[in-house]
Amino acid sequence: MKLLRYGEPGQERPGVLDKAGLIRDLSGYIPDVAGPALSAKSLDHLKSLDIEALPHVPGQPRIGACVGNIGKFICIGLNYADHAAETGAEIPKEPVVFNKWTSAVVGPYDNVLIPRGSEKTDWEVELGVVIGRAASYISEQEAMDYVAGYCVVNDVSEREYQIERGGTWDKGKGCDTFGPIGPWLVTTDEVPAPHNLKMWLEVDGKRYQNGSTSTMIFNVPQIVSYLSRFMSLQPGDVISTGTPPGVGMGQKPHPVYLRPGQTMRLGIEGLGEQRQQTRGA
C-alpha cells in the first residue's frame, strides 16, 4: 500500500495510490497519515478496504510529505561504506546520529531553499524508515515489527554549516526545506528486500548518485534497535538511514554544490521519485 498526503501546506488530507496510479481519498477512515494511523491494526484495516471504491481525487493536487505531524526526524550519518570512503572518513563503529528539525520537512516536489550566504548546499538521496509502533529497548530481532513502511528522503545539507562552523552537524542539516519526504509511505509488505534497493539522484539531468541500500553499514533492524536504547521511538517518527556515494562534497577534482535555479531528481526502487527546484531563501 502506498499512502500519501495531498493538499496545500498545513491542509493536507490522507490518501492512497490505487493500481492505476490515481489518488483515492482516505479521510473517511483516518484523519492523517500520522501517529495512530500507522499502527499495524490501522494499516491492516486500510489494506482491507476496496481502494477502487474510495473517492477519486481529481486533478493534480500538491503532494505533501508522506507523514504528518512528525515527532522526531532522526538521521544516520556515514552509513554507506562507499560514501564513507569518498569523504575520507573511517567506517563508524556505531551509528552516527544527528537530527533534522521538523521545520525542515516539505513535500517531495516543493522548492528547496538555498540559505542566505550558503556556498556549500549539497544533496543526499536516502531511505526513510517510518515508525509505526512505540519502541524502547527493542532487540534487532523484533525491530521490524515496529516499522510501518519506507519512503524517499532528500537529506539536503549545508556542508559549511555542518562541518566548518563548530558544534554538531545539526545546524547544517535542519534548514527550512532541507527535508523533502515522499511521495509515498510504502508499507513493509510491498518492500520485501529493503537492503537491496537501487537509489539515484540527478542534478540538472546529470546523475551523481547511483547506489544501492546493499552497501549500508548498519541495516534497518540494527538502526531501529540502536536508537531505541537512547530514546523512545513513536509512531510517525522518521529515520533517514544514510546516503550512497556521489554527493557534491565528494566530487573530484572539485566539490560541486547547489545554486538557485537548479533541478534535483531522485528516487529509490519501488518507493517513487522526487523532484525539486532550488531557490534562494
Side-chain angles (χ1 to χ4, degrees), residues 4 6-7 13-16 18 21-27 54-63:
L4 55 91
Y6 67 93
R13 296 166 64 92
V16 61
D18 69 15
L22 301 175
I23 299 174
R24 301 284 178 167
D25 181 60
L26 276 177
S27 56
L54 295 173
H56 168 236
V57 178
Q60 295 182 319
R62 169 187 173 269
I63 304 299

Side-chain angles (χ1 to χ4, degrees), residues 39 49 69 88 112 119 143 146 156 160 166 170 178 233 273:
S39 70
L49 300 175
N69 196 28
V112 166
E119 296 183 357
Y146 294 78
V156 185
E160 180 191 359
D170 299 342
F178 272 23
L233 300 174
E273 298 183 6

Side-chain angles (χ1 to χ4, degrees), residues 50-187:
D50 180 0
I51 300 299
E52 312 300 324
L54 295 173
H56 168 236
V57 178
Q60 295 182 319
R62 169 187 173 269
I63 304 299
C66 61
V67 181
N69 196 28
I70 296 170
K72 294 189 288 295
F73 193 170
I74 311 161
C75 301
I76 307 299
L78 299 173
N79 192 37
Y80 282 64
D82 37 9
H83 172 55
E86 79 171 339
T87 63
E90 294 183 6
I91 300 296
K93 295 181 175 60
E94 294 188 34
V96 175
V97 180
F98 62 92
N99 294 294
K100 292 178 88 77
W101 318 124
T102 54
S103 52
V105 174
V106 290
Y109 313 118
D110 292 342
N111 291 337
V112 166
L113 302 180
I114 307 294
R116 297 177 186 179
S118 167
E119 296 183 357
K120 296 183 179 181
T121 297
D122 204 347
W123 57 80
E124 295 188 8
V125 59
E126 304 202 0
L127 173 69
V129 175
V130 180
I131 298 298
R133 173 182 167 195
S136 187
Y137 296 106
I138 59 173
S139 68
E140 292 178 19
Q141 290 70 33
E142 61 182 344
M144 293 304 295
D145 294 337
Y146 294 78
V147 175
Y150 304 96
C151 61
V152 181
V153 175
N154 189 354
D155 176 19
V156 185
S157 310
E158 212 297 345
R159 302 302 189 186
E160 180 191 359
Y161 302 173
Q162 175 190 354
I163 300 168
E164 303 172 34
R165 297 284 290 272
T168 66
W169 286 10
D170 299 342
K171 71 176 71 171
K173 293 287 191 171
C175 300
D176 290 355
T177 74
F178 272 23
I181 297 177
W184 317 310
L185 188 167
V186 184
T187 51

